[in-house]
Amino acid sequence: MFSIFKKDPTKKLKKQLSIKLEQAMNAQRNGDIRTFSQLSFEAQEIDKQIEAIEVEESK
């Protein structure tokens, strides 16, 4: 009934994902491959969380 007032649970995660991907890109540009791989891994984990939430919402 009041679904228009519900907050999007993935909004915060999508913002975190965007930040992690930008940080990873900057690390890669600077030649810091170790940091790039760590940030990419963290971004993948956030993406998995987003997908899990979206699957639950679609049910």
Side-chain angles (χ1 to χ4, degrees), residues 13-58:
L13 288 173
K14 287 180 181 179
K15 184 170 179 127
Q16 288 178 350
L17 177 63
S18 175
I19 291 169
K20 288 288 182 190
L21 290 173
E22 186 174 346
Q23 290 173 342
M25 177 189 63
N26 288 331
Q28 186 180 29
R29 284 183 178 173
N30 292 331
D32 190 358
I33 302 304
R34 182 169 290 168
T35 303
F36 167 73
S37 63
Q38 178 64 32
L39 291 169
S40 295
F41 176 77
E42 292 173 10
Q44 286 177 339
E45 294 300 313
I46 294 170
D47 192 40
K48 287 179 186 177
Q49 291 175 358
I50 292 171
E51 288 177 8
I53 291 171
E54 288 176 346
V55 166
E56 278 187 28
E57 287 181 347
S58 66

